[in-house]
Amino acid sequence: MKTVPIVMSLDKAYVIPAIATIRSVLDSVSDKSCIPFVIFHKELDPFTIKVVTSLVNDAGGTITFTNVQHHFADYRLSAEEMYYALLIPSMMTDYEFVFFLDADLIVTGDILSLIHEMPKDKKIGAVRCFFRNTILPDDSPAELHTHTLKTGLTDTRRYFNAGLMLFNMKNITQWDINRGFQLIKKHWTGHAESILNVVFHESVHFFSTRWNFAMTFVFEMAMPFQPDVQDDIDESRKNIQVQHFLYVSKPWHKYHYQLLAVAGCPELTQYLQNYKQILRTTMNDVSNRAARFVYGPSWQATKAYLNPEETLQLP
């Protein structure tokens, strides 16, 4: 198979989860040699880059880092990293396909299999947004739907989540690239995700929800969904290939214990325990290799809300 890079956007606070995500991909992919990781960043120091490179190499992968800060110098963005995916169509033109992954995923399926599912005429492949496909009570606020409608998209059911995307590079035009950067000035709540949904709205292939499963919906009675996706979500729960720990489902989020209490779901508890163990293993490996890294923002942010009774003896 040809080389298929995996791009990730990263800041200092997400280094530990990113290593966990990368390792999970390398553990599940059918051919490690054709998926080099490319990190877009603006602030990672040489020491951090050295540590991450060493750990990824030891897992059988390759990784490079590209500082992309100058691409957004004129936009004065407060959350610049949330826009880095917009650079893929213009910076990765040597490749036929390029993945983008968030840094809060655990991948257990072979993502290379998605390339064979990608229709030749589509520009991007992704998974429908769970939140925008829920059927909400009449008196429930629908902020995400409102935010989506502000972009001009009238069918929120076709809105995709940007946690996993596959760019079909040969189909993407210069007009698509220019349009994406023009829309940055709109300052939509969804950042690059909203922009990409607008630019590629008419040329999206939707993968099964098992390839970007929002873990806040892992329990069966979480919420009814639109008929278009209900059956797929029910089937995907039985065979999740990509676990996406969005918002409060992140095991380092201070409210994730409340989510567990409300959900009362053994499956969610097990997924979170497994993720915590992966993070603890990653942190131990980092601490053994680079003691002074443990005092950085990624270490503290990840460790802060791991259950102390479960946490290994970390610095």
Side-chain angles (χ1 to χ4, degrees):
M1 180 177 286
K2 295 180 180 179
T3 300
V4 183
I6 298 176
V7 174
M8 299 177 71
S9 173
L10 198 55
D11 64 17
K12 290 181 180 179
Y14 269 80
V15 172
I16 296 294
I19 296 171
T21 296
I22 292 169
R23 283 177 157 184
S24 73
V25 174
L26 292 170
D27 285 343
S28 56
V29 75
S30 56
D31 188 351
K32 296 180 183 180
S33 66
C34 69
I35 55 160
F37 288 87
V38 180
I39 304 299
F40 288 172
H41 73 99
K42 70 171 183 179
E43 61 178 1
L44 299 182
D45 58 88
F47 178 72
T48 298
I49 290 172
K50 181 179 179 180
V51 171
V52 176
T53 300
S54 176
L55 289 168
V56 172
N57 290 166
D58 285 354
T62 60
I63 188 167
T64 57
F65 295 78
T66 302
N67 191 315
V68 296
Q69 185 175 15
H70 67 281
H71 290 278
F72 297 90
D74 296 333
Y75 292 97
R76 298 181 181 178
L77 300 171
S78 59
E80 187 175 301
E81 294 85 358
M82 300 294 288
Y83 293 88
Y84 288 170
L86 296 176
L87 294 170
I88 291 175
S90 59
M91 291 185 62
M92 307 296 290
T93 55
D94 290 340
Y95 304 97
E96 184 176 355
F97 294 101
V98 178
F99 278 105
F100 178 85
L101 295 182
D102 273 352
D104 54 358
L105 307 175
I106 293 298
V107 180
T108 57
D110 180 9
I111 63 172
L112 286 175
S113 65
L114 295 178
I115 292 174
H116 304 296
E117 294 185 24
M118 190 71 182
K120 294 181 179 180
D121 63 329
K122 298 298 184 182
K123 297 181 179 182
I124 197 168
V127 172
R128 295 178 193 270
C129 174
F130 278 60
F131 297 95
R132 290 168 176 82
N133 274 277
T134 56
I135 300 175
L136 299 172
D138 293 337
D139 60 346
S140 177
E143 293 184 8
L144 289 177
H145 294 75
T146 302
H147 293 158
T148 304
L149 292 173
K150 287 181 179 179
T151 68
L153 299 176
T154 57
D155 186 358
T156 60
R157 295 174 302 173
R158 286 183 51 80
Y159 190 101
F160 60 82
N161 180 274
L164 178 148
M165 297 181 289
L166 177 60
F167 290 80
N168 192 357
M169 298 294 292
K170 66 181 182 299
N171 290 342
I172 298 175
T173 67
Q174 188 62 49
W175 186 91
D176 296 326
I177 296 170
N178 294 343
R179 180 66 171 148
F181 275 85
Q182 290 168 1
L183 292 173
I184 292 178
K185 299 175 183 178
K186 297 287 186 179
H187 294 287
W188 288 324
T189 302
H191 309 299
E193 181 180 85
S194 291
I195 293 170
L196 291 167
N197 267 275
V198 171
V199 173
F200 298 120
H201 186 67
E202 301 300 326
S203 191
V204 184
H205 171 69
F206 291 104
F207 299 123
S208 168
T209 55
R210 64 172 46 88
W211 289 102
N212 186 1
F213 200 97
M215 299 309 287
T216 45
F217 295 101
V218 75
F219 44 104
E220 292 187 8
M221 300 307 293
M223 190 77 70
F225 293 90
Q226 296 290 345
D228 294 354
V229 300
Q230 182 69 65
D231 290 345
D232 180 39
I233 289 174
D234 290 341
E235 287 301 312
S236 294
R237 282 195 188 98
K238 305 172 187 176
N239 186 27
I240 298 173
Q241 302 294 296
V242 176
Q243 305 160 29
H244 195 171
F245 293 88
L246 291 158
Y247 190 41
V248 295
S249 66
K250 290 175 174 55
W252 61 88
H253 193 289
K254 62 182 179 180
Y255 293 126
H256 90 274
Y257 285 117
Q258 283 88 324
L259 173 65
L260 285 173
V262 171
C265 174
E267 292 82 4
L268 178 59
T269 300
Q270 187 61 54
Y271 278 117
L272 279 166
Q273 297 296 352
N274 289 343
Y275 192 18
K276 288 180 181 182
Q277 183 57 50
I278 292 169
L279 291 169
R280 288 194 293 269
T281 300
T282 300
M283 294 169 81
N284 271 340
D285 290 345
V286 169
S287 66
N288 290 335
R289 190 173 306 251
R292 66 190 177 97
F293 184 84
V294 304
Y295 301 105
S298 179
W299 186 276
Q300 298 303 326
T302 310
K303 181 184 176 184
Y305 295 101
L306 291 178
N307 188 333
E309 296 179 358
E310 302 166 348
T311 305
L312 301 178
Q313 297 301 310
L314 302 170

